[in-house]
Amino acid sequence: MHRQHVASDALFERIKHSIAGGESSYARLAEGPGFCMARGEGSHIFDVDGNEYIDWCIGYGPLIMGHRHPRVIAAVVEQLEKRGSMYTFPHELDAEVGEKMVRAVPGLELVRFAMSGTEATLAAMRLARAYTGKQKILKFEGHYHGWADEHFVSYHPDDETGGDEAEPKVLLTAGCPQAIADTLVIASWHRPEYVEAAIRKHKHELAAVLCEPQMCNCGIVPVEPEWLHWLRRITAENDILLIFDEVMTGFRLALGGAQGYYGVTPDISCFSKALGAGFPVAAFGGSREVMALEAANEVVHGGTYTAMPMNLAASNVVLGEMIEHEETFYPRLHEVGNRVVRGLQRAADENGVRAKVLGLGPLWQIIFLRDGAPDDPIIDNSRTMLAVVDTERFGIFQSEMLDRGIYFHPGAFERWFASSAHTDDDIETTIVAAHEAMAVVAKAAPVPAV
Ligand code: PMP
């Protein structure tokens, strides 16, 4: 029953002649592309061989209303046809989208637009340094904020590579200046005793604590809400800003993002993905006081393409939908996620496969437990995640699901996303496929214990 990928394979070979590696993002190249896309429609995608898939990756998260949503597309086309793609002047959509963001998110009084999550988080780090007059940023192991020198650091270290959990090593990527190591303090997520020690040691140098309020980039690691409250308290007590990178969680967990969901307001927050509904929109913002430096142009943030009306036209539609239908939009995203989570877990359990589905409503992930790992391991940061995951069985499951027309990210530490376009049928079809795929995983040879 294997699906043919003949046209995909040929196209990818051709792409590789001009595009290094065949993909323009390390993140997409890492696990292999699987197939080349022809088009997307709602919750489904079609490859160049004519295969159709239910898409649980939705462009790594942005397509929260699905592919080609008619109202998003209509707004963008109208903008293009009647008014143009870009202005580099203030325009009405600045106000429309800005006002909606400020209304929706507790921590936002003023925002600035950017083009990508990477840029938004970099701008937030610079703003925190300018505001506090301090140099260092405390970043957590396993958290992802983009691919730049300043923050693509200590992404997935394990016990061997990361050093002591109390004072993890700063692990830089190839080509990153060594000097960056002096600008960061690396810490372990969900470890108050170590973080408190790091803050005491570096408080006079620390401008900010930067985190994903809910870890989504080393699998889904459920956050302890009290820990977020604790981070808020300890940063405030030590004159350190708290930056929430809500690129994944923003406008997704809830209208107010993770800060709204957990009731913890950071000083600066960063958004992208769901904010653009498939168009490149990102933003960072905070209180009037912190953002005053941006308003006065005392700290530099810019970009030719920031606040492009073509992109903000899409944001305006998606934010309008979320605000107007908050009472149904978010419960539905959570329902879709919760039903798939329960279905996947049942599929694993009934087939005797040791897997755990870690869910947060609209974002979830399935992990397969290594032989030797406990049945119910504590997974509270990237190290405890990396220590138990069996990537081989995940790979079997993923490829069996792909063959059955179910697409989710082929990386064992990536997550699935719900959109408002996913239907009950998509959920049922996915669960039926999961039962079949789990039966195949159940027969796979044991993976040696580590
Ligand atoms: N922060 C988080 C939490 C992310 O998940 C990502 C991307 N997955 C980024 C920042 C970087 O965003 P971008 O890829 O748009 O640069």
Side-chain angles (χ1 to χ4, degrees), residues 341-408:
V341 164
R342 282 197 300 272
L344 291 177
Q345 191 65 63
R346 208 173 314 121
D349 295 347
E350 287 179 7
N351 283 285
V353 173
R354 291 194 336 126
K356 258 175 95 77
V357 191
L358 303 167
L360 275 179
L363 298 138
W364 66 96
Q365 176 213 9
I366 179 160
I367 59 168
F368 292 80
L369 296 173
R370 284 184 188 182
D371 298 331
D375 282 341
D376 203 9
I378 293 172
I379 299 173
D380 58 359
N381 63 23
S382 52
R383 290 196 193 196
T384 48
M385 172 71 83
L386 290 165
V388 296
V389 170
D390 166 5
T391 53
E392 281 183 44
R393 285 195 182 95
F394 174 85
I396 298 169
F397 180 68
Q398 191 270 334
S399 113
E400 291 295 324
M401 290 292 271
L402 193 67
D403 247 3
R404 290 168 176 78
I406 314 295
Y407 182 74
F408 51 91

Side-chain angles (χ1 to χ4, degrees), residues 60 115-119 121 144-147 212 217 245-248 272-273 415:
Y60 289 52
M115 290 291 287
S116 67
T118 298
E119 284 178 66
T121 48
Y144 182 70
H145 306 292
W147 58 272
E212 293 182 61
N217 278 291
D245 175 353
E246 296 237 39
V247 167
M248 245 350 154
S272 192
K273 300 211 188 243
R415 71 274 89 198

Side-chain angles (χ1 to χ4, degrees), residues 251-304:
F251 305 104
R252 189 188 316 276
L253 262 193
L255 180 62
Q259 57 194 276
Y261 195 74
Y262 294 112
V264 179
T265 305
D267 298 296
I268 307 176
S269 5
C270 308
F271 300 88
S272 192
K273 300 211 188 243
L275 173 62
F279 286 81
V281 184
F284 66 99
S287 66
R288 280 184 181 279
E289 189 191 315
V290 173
M291 292 297 283
L293 286 176
E294 301 285 348
N297 234 354
E298 284 174 26
V299 54
V300 173
H301 154 254
T304 305

Side-chain angles (χ1 to χ4, degrees), residues 137-142 150-155 157 162 164-172 180-181 183-189 194-195 198 202 206 383:
I137 306 283
L138 185 145
K139 180 206 174 277
F140 292 96
E141 268 189 346
E150 286 91 332
H151 51 27
F152 190 78
V153 176
S154 297
Y155 180 33
D164 191 347
E165 218 193 16
E167 278 188 67
K169 287 188 201 157
V170 187
L171 294 176
L172 304 176
I180 292 291
T183 68
L184 294 166
V185 174
I186 303 299
S188 301
W189 186 241
Y194 300 148
V195 173
H202 297 285
L206 275 178
R383 290 196 193 196

Side-chain angles (χ1 to χ4, degrees), residues 327-339:
E327 301 306 322
T328 48
F329 189 87
Y330 289 98
R332 173 63 186 170
L333 285 189
H334 282 258
E335 184 203 341
V336 170
N338 292 338
R339 279 172 59 186

Side-chain angles (χ1 to χ4, degrees), residues 40-46 52-58 63 65-67 407 419-423 426:
E41 190 76 54
S43 56
H44 289 223
I45 48 178
F46 301 80
E52 181 174 354
Y53 307 85
I54 299 171
D55 181 13
W56 294 108
C57 188
I58 55 167
L63 296 159
M65 289 171 73
H67 294 263
Y407 182 74
S419 78
S420 60
H422 284 105
T423 62
D426 292 333

